[in-house]
Amino acid sequence: MTTPLSFLAADAAEQLVLMNPGPVVLDERVRAALAGPDLCHREPEFADLLARIRHKTTLVAGGGDAHTSVLLTGSGTSAVEAAIGSAVPPDAGLLVVDNGHYGERFEHIATAYGIRTHRLELGWATPVDPARVEQALAADPGLTHVGMVQHETSTGMLNDVAAVARIAHELGREVIVDAVSSVGAERISLAGDGVDWLCGSANKCLEGAPGLAFVSAARTAFERLADHPNRTYYLDLHRHYTAQEKSGLPAFTPGIPACYAFEAALDLALAEGQEARHARYAALAERLRAGLEALGLELLLPPGQRAVGLTALRLPAGTGYEELHQAMRAAGFVIYRAQERLAADHWRLSTMGRITAADIDRFLAVLADVPRGADHERLADPAAGRLGRQHA
Ligand SMILES: *Cc1c(COP(=O)(O)O)cnc(C)c1O
């Protein structure tokens, strides 16, 4: 029988190993949940599902009884945009902590809403210096909010959210955190780290299907949004909060199959536990990184700065990204391009989702054998009798 998804072609019945930072390879139980019943989102069954998802999302975000979450149908950016557009009051300002592509996105979103910003541009792959955040906030009391990314996916850098939140709170400011590519795998806690607004998505380290995002915060913070202007209709967090909290129903038609899958994924995440998932991701990333370095490849960041979900590295000498993508894709692996200033000479490998140690080992074996350069040397050069070094 031919599949109606003809683009998936013959041997694609076999699942590709997705090493892009979301959407991720799903657990079978999560994928199976996508095929749940057709349902009206204004019936009690959906209200119950929504309440459970919001509660479980708050738990994975490290929230307590004082916290809650609002579920959005949209990609991760919809959550970040909803938080910025709704949480920063009029005549206020946003300090943008920018050490990569997603930090800079705070600036772009705020500017689109006419919100005043101060962009603390640290440079890509440069760790956040909390002292510079403190200086910037002290110098400008009108910067009422700080926007930062936990895992800066453009470089794989893990930023210290708790350190920045501590300083922001000492100075009476609120913190909006893009935890889209970290929540689920990195240690983060609304309650413990002092995160005022946490933005996440279903399809990265929480291992759900694409299509859902969320914002988690204190109930009182959502309530206070009533006094803010409506800069946006569809992404107005107060509108979503009011609908979901007061009437228990979504403001608009949600992606119902993605909700089924998200609940299954949240159940798995809660059963595994944040520490165990962090350890699973860390072990997988270590295995990959050790193998890459054994092949002579140069990782972008030093060990202390790396998040567990993604590794950015230099392209092998003599091999272009397209070539590498094609070769790895033919063997069943989807690798990921680096962005902007890193695109010319770097690439990225995500280890989010249901990737196994065996997948990593097979990936490394295939990679070692990718011909490169005009002379078709291999990364692991058998003639050299050892795993090939990276030739300058
Ligand atoms: C993936 C990602 C986003 C959201 O991207 P979408 O394409 O909207 O899902 C936002 N921030 C970070 C840090 C990300 O990695």
Side-chain angles (χ1 to χ4, degrees):
M1 202 185 95
T2 56
T3 162
L5 301 173
S6 55
F7 68 91
L8 286 178
D11 55 3
E14 202 187 322
Q15 172 66 54
L16 291 165
V17 178
L18 301 183
M19 299 181 77
N20 51 289
V24 300
V25 173
L26 302 178
D27 185 281
E28 285 304 331
R29 289 163 284 187
V30 175
R31 193 177 304 107
L34 283 166
D38 302 330
L39 184 65
C40 170
H41 62 292
R42 305 227 170 268
E43 290 299 309
E45 291 85 350
F46 188 79
D48 291 347
L49 175 62
L50 179 62
R52 293 195 304 272
I53 290 175
R54 291 177 58 216
H55 176 64
K56 292 169 185 177
T57 299
T58 306
L59 293 179
V60 296
D65 290 343
H67 297 96
T68 191
S69 300
V70 161
L71 186 70
L72 302 169
T73 290
S75 76
T77 306
S78 71
V80 181
E81 181 161 342
I84 296 171
S86 307
V88 184
D91 307 320
L94 179 71
L95 177 69
V96 174
V97 180
D98 169 7
N99 65 345
H101 178 85
Y102 294 96
E104 187 181 352
R105 185 172 283 180
F106 271 89
E107 169 82 14
H108 294 161
I109 293 171
T111 302
Y113 286 108
I115 294 168
R116 185 173 75 86
T117 62
H118 176 85
R119 179 172 166 202
L120 184 60
E121 194 177 351
L122 300 161
W124 283 40
T126 306
V128 175
D129 177 0
R132 291 195 56 191
V133 174
E134 185 166 16
Q135 277 166 16
L137 291 176
D140 188 345
L143 298 173
T144 54
H145 288 66
V146 178
M148 75 177 295
V149 179
Q150 187 183 27
H151 168 205
E152 177 50 76
T153 323
S154 55
T155 62
M157 183 172 279
L158 182 67
N159 291 328
D160 190 344
V161 166
V164 171
R166 207 175 307 121
I167 283 167
H169 287 174
E170 276 166 17
L171 296 171
R173 321 299 169 86
E174 286 189 19
V175 185
I176 303 172
V177 176
D178 171 348
V180 171
S181 69
S182 53
V183 62
E186 298 291 351
R187 299 178 180 101
I188 192 158
S189 164
L190 280 163
D193 296 331
V195 175
D196 297 292
W197 301 94
L198 185 150
C199 311
S201 86
N203 64 1
K204 293 194 185 187
C205 303
L206 288 172
E207 305 185 353
L212 298 175
F214 60 88
V215 179
S216 305
R219 279 173 207 283
T220 51
F222 281 113
E223 296 285 348
R224 280 198 303 271
L225 297 180
D227 306 329
H228 291 195
N230 290 76
R231 292 193 184 91
T232 160
Y233 184 83
Y234 196 73
L235 290 177
D236 176 8
L237 266 190
H238 190 256
R239 176 188 313 283
H240 287 278
Y241 169 76
T242 305
Q244 295 182 20
E245 181 73 15
K246 313 285 185 216
S247 67
L249 291 168
F252 309 105
T253 311
I256 293 171
C259 292
Y260 293 144
F262 195 26
E263 184 176 39
L266 287 165
D267 286 341
L268 292 174
L270 290 167
E272 188 174 8
Q274 196 181 60
E275 284 304 318
R277 177 160 298 182
H278 181 79
R280 170 162 69 85
Y281 272 52
L284 213 55
E286 276 317 305
R287 194 178 191 97
L288 175 67
R289 290 163 185 171
L292 294 169
E293 289 187 317
L295 290 173
L297 293 166
E298 188 191 326
L299 308 191
L300 176 67
L301 301 176
Q305 299 177 0
R306 300 171 190 158
V308 293
L310 181 127
T311 304
L313 70 162
R314 200 169 272 285
L315 286 163
T319 308
Y321 176 80
E322 289 301 343
E323 224 179 312
L324 197 55
H325 179 271
Q326 205 175 356
M328 298 312 297
R329 173 69 210 248
F333 297 95
V334 174
I335 63 170
Y336 212 52
R337 193 185 284 283
Q339 293 151 300
E340 299 180 48
R341 64 201 74 182
L342 288 181
D345 49 7
H346 283 76
W347 53 309
R348 293 179 292 168
L349 292 170
S350 162
T351 37
M352 301 171 194
R354 302 307 305 190
I355 294 178
T356 64
D359 292 331
I360 298 296
D361 293 347
R362 196 167 64 82
F363 173 84
L364 290 166
V366 173
L367 180 63
D369 216 28
V370 172
R372 67 198 176 90
D375 51 0
H376 293 274
E377 274 184 282
R378 279 154 204 271
L379 261 183
D381 187 349
R386 57 182 155 161
L387 292 176
R389 307 120 291 155
Q390 192 174 6
H391 298 247

